[in-house]
Amino acid sequence: MSDPIGSPAFAPWQQRVYEHAAAALDAGRLGHGLLFCGPAQLGKRVVAERLAQRLLCTERGGDGEPCGACRGCRLFASRSQVDPPQLRPDGSLAHPFGHSGHPDLDFLGYEFNQKAKPPKLRSEIVIEQIRRLSEQMALTPQYGGAKIAIIDPADAINHAASNALLKTLEEPVPSRYLWLVSAQPARLSATIRSRCQRIEFRLPPRAEALAWLRQSHPEPVAAEALEAARGHPGLAAEWLRGEGLALRREVASDLAKLARGEVGAVETAQRWAANADAALRLRHAADLALAEASERLTDPARARSLAAWFDRANRTRDLLRTTVRADLAIVELLMFWRGGDTRRSVSGGPDTGGV
């Protein structure tokens, strides 16, 4: 999704969400606590930051949009990453556009535990972070307007931190905004969810998503990526920018070769596990099995077998986040691909190998 600072146009689905939220903001109907939720990579953070700029701008135009030139807008657009940079567990930046230089805008996410020797990146948002944030939110805004905190991803907040956050949510102060961004809102406590006004993002219609992708990519490859991403334009765009789509084709080829007995499960598992993209390979493998299952509805036994393998592949992907050896977990999965009713190629070819 595009950078909100300096701002290329929103994608159409982002624009719709933004306009609805901005109208609520201007009408005084926007709550103190907001939950920006929906699938990952649809632009929740982008929209949240633009709304923050709208609140912090001191010279908004007649349409209510931030001017981009006042001191508030200039400070908002002044960005930097801390050193070492704060990262998500997948290695991406915790705050993709950097921390803002505006004193009334705070970003909270994964950070390093400075007490560890050497400092270690936390895997969750802890109570100390929420307490510091609450103290900041209690201060008077330096520019006399709003004070805003964006927590991303909010679902990383642990239990103790959730209880501390709830206290802040339940005691709103005028012109203070606490915004949570989450692709997995079910992981938040029900009490926190109930205290927040939801701003929901949904997958756009296929035609709209394809038209957006075609602005940057030829139609055939854009359509292929969108189909592979099951209608998710943000995910399709990421795969088109990087090697995700090529990787999917490679995974499909590997599964077909496994089914025909041209390669072994052990060597394939070792190759998959040796790469940083092992989790993405498993996602592609699961999706390929699910796609074939949907095409095999006239063969109920095979469809059930493929669906079961889809579930197994996703469980294996979850195991990669633990201390389990990746190659051993993957080889077990691939042995089931060859040894069960899933022995046919994902492209429909018969199995000629077996185990």
Side-chain angles (χ1 to χ4, degrees), residues 253-268:
S253 175
D254 285 343
L255 293 178
K257 290 176 181 177
L258 272 166
R260 295 193 297 266
E262 296 174 4
V263 296
V266 173
E267 63 183 270
T268 304

PDB file of all heavy atoms in Angstrom, residues 253-268:
ATOM      1  N   SER A 253       5.340 -26.426  -9.156  1.00  0.00           N
ATOM      2  CA  SER A 253       6.205 -27.369  -9.880  1.00  0.00           C
ATOM      3  C   SER A 253       6.771 -28.423  -8.932  1.00  0.00           C
ATOM      4  O   SER A 253       6.811 -29.613  -9.261  1.00  0.00           O
ATOM      5  CB  SER A 253       7.342 -26.601 -10.567  1.00  0.00           C
ATOM      6  OG  SER A 253       8.248 -27.486 -11.178  1.00  0.00           O
ATOM      7  N   ASP A 254       7.175 -28.004  -7.743  1.00  0.00           N
ATOM      8  CA  ASP A 254       7.720 -28.950  -6.766  1.00  0.00           C
ATOM      9  C   ASP A 254       6.672 -29.997  -6.367  1.00  0.00           C
ATOM     10  O   ASP A 254       6.979 -31.195  -6.271  1.00  0.00           O
ATOM     11  CB  ASP A 254       8.192 -28.207  -5.515  1.00  0.00           C
ATOM     12  CG  ASP A 254       9.510 -27.471  -5.728  1.00  0.00           C
ATOM     13  OD1 ASP A 254      10.212 -27.787  -6.706  1.00  0.00           O
ATOM     14  OD2 ASP A 254       9.831 -26.595  -4.903  1.00  0.00           O
ATOM     15  N   LEU A 255       5.444 -29.539  -6.118  1.00  0.00           N
ATOM     16  CA  LEU A 255       4.395 -30.471  -5.720  1.00  0.00           C
ATOM     17  C   LEU A 255       4.078 -31.457  -6.845  1.00  0.00           C
ATOM     18  O   LEU A 255       3.835 -32.645  -6.599  1.00  0.00           O
ATOM     19  CB  LEU A 255       3.137 -29.712  -5.304  1.00  0.00           C
ATOM     20  CG  LEU A 255       3.248 -28.881  -4.018  1.00  0.00           C
ATOM     21  CD1 LEU A 255       1.940 -28.135  -3.755  1.00  0.00           C
ATOM     22  CD2 LEU A 255       3.611 -29.750  -2.824  1.00  0.00           C
ATOM     23  N   ALA A 256       4.091 -30.964  -8.075  1.00  0.00           N
ATOM     24  CA  ALA A 256       3.830 -31.844  -9.213  1.00  0.00           C
ATOM     25  C   ALA A 256       4.944 -32.887  -9.350  1.00  0.00           C
ATOM     26  O   ALA A 256       4.679 -34.072  -9.590  1.00  0.00           O
ATOM     27  CB  ALA A 256       3.704 -31.023 -10.493  1.00  0.00           C
ATOM     28  N   LYS A 257       6.181 -32.455  -9.183  1.00  0.00           N
ATOM     29  CA  LYS A 257       7.309 -33.389  -9.279  1.00  0.00           C
ATOM     30  C   LYS A 257       7.282 -34.412  -8.143  1.00  0.00           C
ATOM     31  O   LYS A 257       7.612 -35.586  -8.339  1.00  0.00           O
ATOM     32  CB  LYS A 257       8.625 -32.614  -9.269  1.00  0.00           C
ATOM     33  CG  LYS A 257       8.876 -31.816 -10.539  1.00  0.00           C
ATOM     34  CD  LYS A 257      10.157 -30.996 -10.419  1.00  0.00           C
ATOM     35  CE  LYS A 257      10.412 -30.171 -11.681  1.00  0.00           C
ATOM     36  NZ  LYS A 257      11.619 -29.323 -11.539  1.00  0.00           N
ATOM     37  N   LEU A 258       6.897 -33.951  -6.957  1.00  0.00           N
ATOM     38  CA  LEU A 258       6.767 -34.876  -5.837  1.00  0.00           C
ATOM     39  C   LEU A 258       5.727 -35.952  -6.150  1.00  0.00           C
ATOM     40  O   LEU A 258       5.941 -37.140  -5.893  1.00  0.00           O
ATOM     41  CB  LEU A 258       6.346 -34.115  -4.576  1.00  0.00           C
ATOM     42  CG  LEU A 258       7.447 -33.525  -3.701  1.00  0.00           C
ATOM     43  CD1 LEU A 258       6.834 -32.542  -2.710  1.00  0.00           C
ATOM     44  CD2 LEU A 258       8.188 -34.631  -2.960  1.00  0.00           C
ATOM     45  N   ALA A 259       4.594 -35.517  -6.693  1.00  0.00           N
ATOM     46  CA  ALA A 259       3.526 -36.459  -7.000  1.00  0.00           C
ATOM     47  C   ALA A 259       3.951 -37.484  -8.047  1.00  0.00           C
ATOM     48  O   ALA A 259       3.527 -38.633  -8.005  1.00  0.00           O
ATOM     49  CB  ALA A 259       2.290 -35.694  -7.488  1.00  0.00           C
ATOM     50  N   ARG A 260       4.810 -37.063  -8.971  1.00  0.00           N
ATOM     51  CA  ARG A 260       5.268 -37.975 -10.030  1.00  0.00           C
ATOM     52  C   ARG A 260       6.502 -38.759  -9.616  1.00  0.00           C
ATOM     53  O   ARG A 260       7.020 -39.565 -10.383  1.00  0.00           O
ATOM     54  CB  ARG A 260       5.567 -37.176 -11.307  1.00  0.00           C
ATOM     55  CG  ARG A 260       4.340 -36.525 -11.932  1.00  0.00           C
ATOM     56  CD  ARG A 260       4.643 -36.027 -13.337  1.00  0.00           C
ATOM     57  NE  ARG A 260       5.659 -34.989 -13.350  1.00  0.00           N
ATOM     58  CZ  ARG A 260       5.406 -33.679 -13.327  1.00  0.00           C
ATOM     59  NH1 ARG A 260       4.144 -33.268 -13.256  1.00  0.00           N
ATOM     60  NH2 ARG A 260       6.388 -32.809 -13.365  1.00  0.00           N
ATOM     61  N   GLY A 261       7.017 -38.500  -8.407  1.00  0.00           N
ATOM     62  CA  GLY A 261       8.186 -39.216  -7.933  1.00  0.00           C
ATOM     63  C   GLY A 261       9.488 -38.759  -8.541  1.00  0.00           C
ATOM     64  O   GLY A 261      10.501 -39.462  -8.467  1.00  0.00           O
ATOM     65  N   GLU A 262       9.507 -37.566  -9.124  1.00  0.00           N
ATOM     66  CA  GLU A 262      10.719 -37.056  -9.768  1.00  0.00           C
ATOM     67  C   GLU A 262      11.684 -36.441  -8.769  1.00  0.00           C
ATOM     68  O   GLU A 262      12.875 -36.287  -9.058  1.00  0.00           O
ATOM     69  CB  GLU A 262      10.351 -36.032 -10.845  1.00  0.00           C
ATOM     70  CG  GLU A 262       9.547 -36.638 -11.998  1.00  0.00           C
ATOM     71  CD  GLU A 262       9.077 -35.588 -12.982  1.00  0.00           C
ATOM     72  OE1 GLU A 262       9.450 -34.393 -12.806  1.00  0.00           O
ATOM     73  OE2 GLU A 262       8.330 -35.930 -13.918  1.00  0.00           O
ATOM     74  N   VAL A 263      11.184 -36.032  -7.613  1.00  0.00           N
ATOM     75  CA  VAL A 263      12.024 -35.509  -6.537  1.00  0.00           C
ATOM     76  C   VAL A 263      11.553 -36.143  -5.236  1.00  0.00           C
ATOM     77  O   VAL A 263      10.426 -36.645  -5.142  1.00  0.00           O
ATOM     78  CB  VAL A 263      11.963 -33.961  -6.442  1.00  0.00           C
ATOM     79  CG1 VAL A 263      12.534 -33.295  -7.685  1.00  0.00           C
ATOM     80  CG2 VAL A 263      10.525 -33.497  -6.194  1.00  0.00           C
ATOM     81  N   GLY A 264      12.405 -36.094  -4.215  1.00  0.00           N
ATOM     82  CA  GLY A 264      12.058 -36.671  -2.932  1.00  0.00           C
ATOM     83  C   GLY A 264      11.530 -35.636  -1.954  1.00  0.00           C
ATOM     84  O   GLY A 264      11.836 -34.444  -2.063  1.00  0.00           O
ATOM     85  N   ALA A 265      10.741 -36.117  -0.984  1.00  0.00           N
ATOM     86  CA  ALA A 265      10.178 -35.218   0.014  1.00  0.00           C
ATOM     87  C   ALA A 265      11.268 -34.591   0.888  1.00  0.00           C
ATOM     88  O   ALA A 265      11.203 -33.415   1.241  1.00  0.00           O
ATOM     89  CB  ALA A 265       9.176 -35.971   0.888  1.00  0.00           C
ATOM     90  N   VAL A 266      12.311 -35.385   1.216  1.00  0.00           N
ATOM     91  CA  VAL A 266      13.357 -34.879   2.096  1.00  0.00           C
ATOM     92  C   VAL A 266      14.139 -33.751   1.425  1.00  0.00           C
ATOM     93  O   VAL A 266      14.345 -32.677   2.023  1.00  0.00           O
ATOM     94  CB  VAL A 266      14.310 -36.017   2.518  1.00  0.00           C
ATOM     95  CG1 VAL A 266      15.499 -35.453   3.296  1.00  0.00           C
ATOM     96  CG2 VAL A 266      13.571 -37.045   3.368  1.00  0.00           C
ATOM     97  N   GLU A 267      14.570 -33.963   0.204  1.00  0.00           N
ATOM     98  CA  GLU A 267      15.367 -32.929  -0.465  1.00  0.00           C
ATOM     99  C   GLU A 267      14.536 -31.676  -0.716  1.00  0.00           C
ATOM    100  O   GLU A 267      15.032 -30.539  -0.595  1.00  0.00           O
ATOM    101  CB  GLU A 267      15.937 -33.457  -1.789  1.00  0.00           C
ATOM    102  CG  GLU A 267      14.890 -33.840  -2.830  1.00  0.00           C
ATOM    103  CD  GLU A 267      15.498 -34.433  -4.092  1.00  0.00           C
ATOM    104  OE1 GLU A 267      15.802 -33.643  -5.010  1.00  0.00           O
ATOM    105  OE2 GLU A 267      15.666 -35.663  -4.144  1.00  0.00           O
ATOM    106  N   THR A 268      13.253 -31.861  -1.044  1.00  0.00           N
ATOM    107  CA  THR A 268      12.389 -30.696  -1.259  1.00  0.00           C
ATOM    108  C   THR A 268      12.178 -29.937   0.043  1.00  0.00           C
ATOM    109  O   THR A 268      12.251 -28.700   0.081  1.00  0.00           O
ATOM    110  CB  THR A 268      11.039 -31.136  -1.841  1.00  0.00           C
ATOM    111  OG1 THR A 268      11.260 -31.877  -3.052  1.00  0.00           O
ATOM    112  CG2 THR A 268      10.158 -29.931  -2.154  1.00  0.00           C
TER     113      THR A 268
END
